[in-house]
């Protein structure tokens, strides 16, 4: 009996180590946290930049049609971006509107020649310079040093949701959106990967468009983290291995990010959804600022946003704005 128990323990340990190395091999690392002159100093707590990209990598033409993503596969753009602060004062998830009108730093162009800095929508930083330029843009406009980076595309997002059998959500009102393909009734729903992608992308039926969409994104990501991190999914090999394969296989993280960091990240997201944290948006001064070229962009509220960014840097209580 003693040797049987000992054998089981050894088997569990071997399986755990094997799983750890298998999962670690799935991570895709990119050097996005490069130093540069004037980079903000490290603050208290840990700050994650989370990017949802419109990358169609791994999707067939038929899957792109089914998911209503279109076939514009040249490059990738940011479909959403958030900063998650993990600290002693609680965890806070802050959405950044992709149309935020901010200074974009000078950066290398496609031909290797430098592109002068200019004011533009923040998602152009990701489109023109990838994660590295986006990190620098966020850091220089907020003063918050980014400690870790996580990016996932459309295909990976759908795979994660489907691997756990869908995500339970409460839908406040009927939603029918032609552009995203979403058609949901109000009430409690279990969203498939396809429905979830449409839910976090749709915005046309909401009065505040992108700002309303960001609220949906925060709500869904919290529910996803809460469900994915449940014992029923983590201890069940029939959900655990497909979840890890879908999540890590398409996830892009910074060079120093490991499985332990990702574990802390998911637990922090779970806390935000569970009421032990907050979800908010960068304070907006003008949601419909008209640029010189006639574009509609978003201007931050200078004073309020500075208070919020300072709270992130110093790990102090997040201010309550009326």
């Amino acid at each position: 009996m003693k040797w049987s128990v000992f054998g089981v323990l050894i088997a569990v340990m071997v399986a755990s180590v094997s799983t750890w190395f298998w999962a670690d091999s799935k991570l895709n690392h990119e050097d996005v946290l490069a130093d540069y002159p004037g980079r903000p100093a490290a603050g208290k707590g840990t700050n994650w930049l989370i990017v949802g990209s419109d990358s169609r990598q791994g999707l067939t033409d038929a899957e792109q049609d089914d998911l209503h993503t279109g076939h514009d596969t040249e490059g990738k753009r940011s479909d959403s971006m958030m900063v998650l602060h993990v600290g002693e004062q609680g965890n806070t998830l802050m959405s950044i509107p992709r149309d935020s009108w901010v200074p974009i730093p000078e950066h290398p162009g496609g031909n290797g020649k430098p592109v002068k800095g200019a004011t533009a929508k923040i998602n152009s930083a990701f489109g023109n310079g990838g994660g590295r330029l986006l990190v620098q843009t966020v850091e220089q406009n907020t003063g918050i040093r980014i400690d870790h980076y996580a990016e996932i595309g459309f295909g990976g997002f759908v795979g994660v949701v489907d691997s756990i059998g869908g995500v339970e959500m409460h839908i406040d009102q009927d939603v029918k959106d032609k552009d995203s393909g979403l058609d949901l009734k109000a009430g409690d729903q279990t969203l498939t990967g396809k429905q979830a992608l449409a839910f976090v992308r749709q915005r046309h039926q909401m009065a505040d468009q992108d700002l309303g969409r960001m609220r949906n994104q925060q709500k869904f990501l919290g529910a996803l983290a809460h469900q994915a991190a449940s014992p029923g999914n983590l201890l069940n090999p029939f959900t655990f291995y497909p979840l890890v394969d879908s999540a890590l296989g398409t996830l892009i993280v910074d060079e120093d990010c490991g499985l332990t960091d990702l574990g802390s990240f998911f637990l922090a997201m779970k806390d935000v959804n569970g009421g032990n944290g907050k979800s908010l948006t960068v304070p907006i001064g003008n949601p419909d600022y008209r640029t010189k070229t006639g574009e509609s962009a978003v201007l931050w509220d200078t004073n309020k946003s500075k208070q919020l960014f300072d709270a992130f840097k110093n790990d102090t209580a997040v201010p309550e704005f009326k």
Side-chain angles (χ1 to χ4, degrees):
M1 179 68 177
K2 181 187 298 185
W3 284 105
S4 298
V5 173
F6 181 73
V8 170
L9 290 175
I10 290 296
V12 169
M13 290 174 63
V14 170
S16 299
V17 172
S18 300
T19 298
W20 181 273
F21 281 106
W22 169 77
D24 188 63
S25 71
K26 290 284 182 179
L27 284 176
N28 302 291
H29 294 276
E30 280 191 12
D31 185 16
V32 295
L33 302 181
D35 281 325
Y36 56 86
R39 187 181 183 195
K44 298 179 179 179
T46 302
N47 297 304
W48 285 80
L49 178 59
I50 309 161
V51 180
S53 82
D54 68 358
S55 171
R56 286 110 170 126
Q57 183 177 355
L59 294 176
T60 65
D61 287 346
E63 288 171 330
Q64 291 178 52
D65 288 336
D66 186 47
L67 296 174
H68 292 253
T69 65
H71 292 271
D72 180 13
T73 56
E74 292 297 321
K76 56 185 179 180
R77 287 152 295 279
S78 58
D79 208 55
S80 61
M81 65 186 77
M82 306 174 187
V83 175
L84 172 67
H85 176 75
V86 182
E88 294 184 359
Q89 299 299 319
N91 305 321
T92 305
L93 184 64
M94 176 181 70
S95 287
I96 299 177
R98 61 180 183 172
D99 289 342
S100 297
W101 193 246
V102 298
I104 308 295
E106 181 178 297
H107 57 278
N111 57 4
K113 295 182 179 180
V115 176
K116 291 184 178 180
T119 301
K121 293 181 179 180
I122 197 168
N123 65 348
S124 69
F126 186 73
N128 294 327
R132 178 179 290 198
L133 181 58
L134 181 60
V135 168
Q136 185 177 352
T137 301
V138 170
E139 287 184 336
Q140 292 197 344
N141 282 280
T142 64
I144 299 169
R145 187 184 181 99
I146 300 300
D147 302 296
H148 285 298
Y149 175 90
E151 172 195 330
I152 192 166
F154 285 163
F157 182 89
V158 171
V160 169
V161 175
D162 285 339
S163 70
I164 59 173
V167 173
E168 298 175 4
M169 291 283 297
H170 179 79
I171 307 301
D172 295 328
Q173 61 186 37
D174 291 354
V175 181
K176 192 174 181 65
D177 183 68
K178 181 179 68 175
D179 290 340
S180 65
L182 187 64
D183 188 359
L184 295 174
K185 297 296 184 183
D188 294 333
Q189 306 274 352
T190 298
L191 303 188
T192 64
K194 176 182 176 180
Q195 291 172 321
L197 179 62
F199 179 74
V200 299
R201 296 186 69 211
Q202 69 90 20
R203 61 188 174 89
H204 296 294
Q205 76 163 21
M206 291 176 281
D208 50 2
Q209 297 279 305
D210 256 3
L211 299 182
R213 188 176 78 143
M214 285 189 297
R215 289 194 297 272
N216 279 350
Q217 291 169 349
Q218 291 175 339
K219 182 178 179 181
F220 179 81
L221 287 178
L224 173 61
H226 182 78
Q227 193 163 327
S230 69
N233 282 315
L234 295 181
L235 299 179
N236 182 351
F238 295 103
T239 55
F240 174 76
Y241 286 99
L243 171 63
V244 172
D245 191 44
S246 298
L248 302 189
T250 55
L251 190 68
I252 296 173
V253 296
D254 60 274
E255 292 280 15
D256 294 329
C257 181
L259 293 179
T260 302
D261 300 306
L262 283 175
S264 298
F265 164 73
F266 279 110
L267 289 176
M269 288 291 294
K270 184 177 180 180
D271 280 348
V272 169
N273 182 68
N276 294 325
K278 294 182 179 180
S279 296
L280 42 78
T281 300
V282 173
I284 305 301
N286 186 349
D288 191 22
Y289 171 73
R290 293 292 163 173
T291 70
K292 292 181 180 179
T293 58
E295 295 178 274
S296 176
V298 173
L299 287 183
W300 299 346
D301 183 304
T302 304
N303 293 328
K304 290 181 178 179
S305 60
K306 184 180 185 304
Q307 293 178 50
L308 178 58
F309 301 155
D310 285 346
F312 272 50
K313 287 188 292 185
N314 302 318
D315 194 25
T316 54
V318 173
E320 299 282 351
F321 299 117
K322 295 182 179 180

